[in-house]
Amino acid sequence: MTTLFEKLTELMLLDPNDKYSPQKSILLKRMAANIISCFPYPTTRPASPPPKPSPESCEHRAFCDAFGKLVQVSVETMAITALPMDVWLKERLKKWVQLSGHEGSIVPATPHTLYKKQCVNCGEGRAYKNISKDPALDGFTPKYYNELEKNEEHFIEIEDLLQQFADPTKTAIMDIKIGTRTFLESEVSNTKKRADLYEKMVTIDNDEPTEEERKCGAITKLRYMQFRERESSTAQLGFRIEAAKRLEGALEKNFKKVRTVEDVTTTFMDFFGMQRSRVRKQLIERLKSMRKAIENSTFFNTHEVVGSSILIVFDTEKVGCWMIDFAKSSPVPNGRTLNHRTNWVPGNNEDGYLIGIDNLVKILEELPEYGEHPDDQLMVTEEVVARMKNFAKSRGAAKQQDDILDERNAQRSIA
């Protein structure tokens, strides 16, 4: 397979008008067949018929068509089959950012969609199908397109929300896990006490175990999971910040110490920066509309939604906010309905989703306007310094390029 990718790269560098020898034509067709057999086809999209290629370019067109299929399918499949990533593939992925989840589980599929790998017995595809049939949730989640299988691996294809922005690489992104619990009831139904979970707990907080737990040296998974929820803002506020990417591109995933309203407020102020007043206002409006949609949603009325996230995206012009991640969504028993605000007790399936959104809205509403907080002047200084550094870096690169050109021109003059 390494040779295949090397040959593909070599052929891509050939002039489209070059005429291939019979040997190269045969190699071309074989490689095209190999590509198609190795990767899942992209989702069918309605399109106008392509123009008929000229006889001189038929062989090149055949290659480009096959190569196009390769570029448009999931890069995750390449990882699964352990294929090497050549220069052209690295170029496609170098601007790709995955904030949270297992590394490589979400990858570009087409210019406007993503492939997301599905775990065993995962019902996310089913959840997205049900959401797409719920008019109340229209526009509040990524569009769902397809579910496919390749090499015994399962994927769903969903909308790439960043493509709604003028330049996805110049956006700020934040992933906020919503709900007062992030585990399914079925995950903690086993009442067996485990020593490994006790050790994990005392490693995090040696003062947490009760006297009885210390004597036993073991705890149940439910006890451990509830302890972990209290260690973050999940139990208290109904949400926790998972990860963020700033406008200037800096990526941050360590928000474990963000637990209180004050911590969240400081984090938001830092994340929104000088865009705070505009972003804050639009986020409040969007979250209130989302809250109303959830309250009127048939899907939320009949499903516990655990481990889902609110995705916040903004640039200098636009602000967006959506619900994502429905891998742990499951229907409740017939006849039962949820309000997503009742405190959870084992057996009632409540997840606290709306508790999280209620608190998010409240914190944003109480966030000071930009310029009203003493730290805002410091924030200006830090942003100006960052811009100056970027400007100096770009100027340095440009000067280096000018020096190279001057040297070449001087050499030509001597010659």
Side-chain angles (χ1 to χ4, degrees):
M1 295 307 291
T2 301
T3 303
L4 171 62
F5 273 71
E6 290 173 349
K7 291 297 183 183
L8 284 172
T9 307
E10 177 185 341
L11 284 172
M12 280 300 291
L13 298 176
L14 295 177
D15 190 303
N17 295 320
D18 284 348
K19 292 185 178 179
Y20 298 120
S21 64
Q23 291 83 359
K24 283 188 177 179
S25 298
I26 293 172
L27 176 62
L28 184 65
K29 293 175 183 178
R30 285 178 179 173
M31 284 192 295
N34 283 335
I35 291 170
I36 295 171
S37 65
C38 287
F39 299 93
Y41 289 96
T43 300
T44 303
R45 299 280 188 273
S48 56
K52 186 176 180 180
S54 61
E56 293 79 13
S57 63
C58 280
E59 292 173 339
H60 181 74
R61 293 294 183 190
F63 170 73
C64 288
D65 288 344
F67 192 80
K69 290 181 183 296
L70 172 62
V71 173
Q72 291 181 8
V73 298
S74 171
V75 180
E76 173 65 13
T77 308
M78 299 180 191
I80 292 169
T81 53
L83 298 181
M85 293 187 179
D86 283 335
V87 176
W88 51 270
L89 184 54
K90 291 180 180 178
E91 182 69 21
R92 185 175 191 268
L93 286 173
K94 70 180 182 180
K95 295 181 180 179
W96 169 251
V97 175
Q98 181 179 333
L99 282 187
S100 57
H102 297 293
E103 192 70 28
S105 60
I106 306 173
V107 292
T110 71
H112 301 286
T113 64
L114 304 172
Y115 278 155
K116 183 176 181 182
K117 185 180 177 182
Q118 301 293 283
C119 59
V120 179
N121 299 324
C122 178
E124 189 164 21
R126 182 175 61 252
Y128 269 113
K129 288 177 184 177
N130 290 330
I131 289 171
S132 65
K133 298 174 184 177
D134 190 337
L137 300 179
D138 186 32
F140 289 103
T141 68
K143 293 179 182 177
Y144 171 80
Y145 290 104
N146 192 24
E147 189 167 5
L148 60 134
E149 179 181 353
K150 183 65 178 180
N151 298 333
E152 299 183 353
E153 299 285 349
H154 295 268
F155 307 86
I156 58 172
E157 185 179 13
I158 56 176
E159 177 187 6
D160 183 354
L161 296 168
L162 294 186
Q163 298 306 316
Q164 296 189 24
F165 292 79
D167 186 348
T169 65
K170 296 180 180 179
T171 55
I173 312 169
M174 180 174 279
D175 184 313
I176 301 176
K177 194 69 69 178
I178 291 289
T180 53
R181 64 182 169 97
T182 58
F183 55 88
L184 292 170
E185 292 197 3
S186 58
E187 294 179 288
V188 295
S189 58
N190 191 334
T191 58
K192 179 182 177 181
K193 293 184 178 181
R194 294 168 49 179
D196 61 323
L197 296 180
Y198 174 83
E199 291 299 326
K200 286 184 178 181
M201 183 170 69
V202 296
T203 300
I204 298 171
D205 185 352
N206 190 52
D207 296 328
E208 175 65 22
T210 64
E211 184 177 344
E212 182 180 346
E213 288 170 343
R214 290 187 186 279
K215 291 179 181 179
C216 183
I219 56 174
T220 64
K221 187 171 183 179
L222 174 59
R223 168 74 169 100
Y224 176 74
M225 294 301 291
Q226 289 179 316
F227 158 69
R228 287 299 304 269
E229 305 292 39
R230 293 201 314 273
E231 283 295 293
S232 68
S233 59
T234 293
Q236 179 183 350
L237 301 178
F239 69 86
R240 71 167 183 253
I241 300 173
E242 287 282 286
K245 181 182 82 71
R246 301 175 186 275
L247 270 177
E248 66 271 18
L251 185 63
E252 188 174 353
K253 294 188 176 183
N254 187 11
F255 292 95
K256 292 180 180 179
K257 295 183 179 180
V258 178
R259 304 177 184 176
T260 65
V261 172
E262 292 74 18
D263 294 336
V264 174
T265 298
T266 301
T267 303
F268 280 165
M269 289 175 57
D270 187 40
F271 175 64
F272 298 148
M274 298 171 67
Q275 308 285 330
R276 183 165 77 233
S277 296
R278 176 181 64 89
V279 174
R280 167 186 169 275
K281 179 181 178 182
Q282 294 185 47
L283 272 181
I284 291 172
E285 292 176 358
R286 176 69 169 174
L287 286 169
K288 285 183 176 180
S289 297
M290 183 184 293
R291 179 168 61 187
K292 184 176 181 181
I294 292 172
E295 291 170 341
N296 295 326
S297 165
T298 301
F299 176 83
F300 271 89
N301 193 38
T302 57
H303 286 74
E304 64 172 320
V305 183
V306 174
S308 177
S309 289
I310 297 292
L311 186 71
I312 295 172
V313 187
F314 71 88
D315 58 15
T316 56
E317 301 293 332
K318 182 178 179 179
V319 179
C321 178
W322 298 270
M323 294 179 283
I324 61 171
D325 297 340
F326 296 95
K328 289 187 176 182
S329 300
S330 56
V332 296
N334 290 336
R336 181 182 299 174
T337 59
L338 305 179
N339 61 38
H340 304 280
R341 285 192 175 96
T342 300
N343 290 330
W344 176 72
V345 293
N348 74 355
N349 296 108
E350 290 288 352
D351 50 46
Y353 206 100
L354 285 175
I355 293 176
I357 292 184
D358 289 341
N359 284 322
L360 264 179
V361 170
K362 183 179 179 181
I363 291 173
L364 288 170
E365 286 179 331
E366 295 175 354
L367 206 64
E369 292 285 344
Y370 180 75
E372 295 179 353
H373 195 276
D375 290 344
D376 288 342
Q377 186 60 44
L378 177 61
M379 189 181 301
V380 173
T381 304
E382 290 176 344
E383 291 200 13
V384 169
V385 169
R387 290 179 186 177
M388 289 176 66
K389 286 182 178 179
N390 291 333
F391 178 73
K393 184 178 179 181
S394 62
R395 288 282 294 176
K399 186 178 184 304
Q400 184 180 14
Q401 185 67 26
D402 289 342
D403 290 342
I404 293 173
L405 292 174
D406 289 342
E407 184 178 348
R408 287 180 180 173
N409 291 333
Q411 291 175 352
R412 288 171 184 167
S413 298
I414 294 173

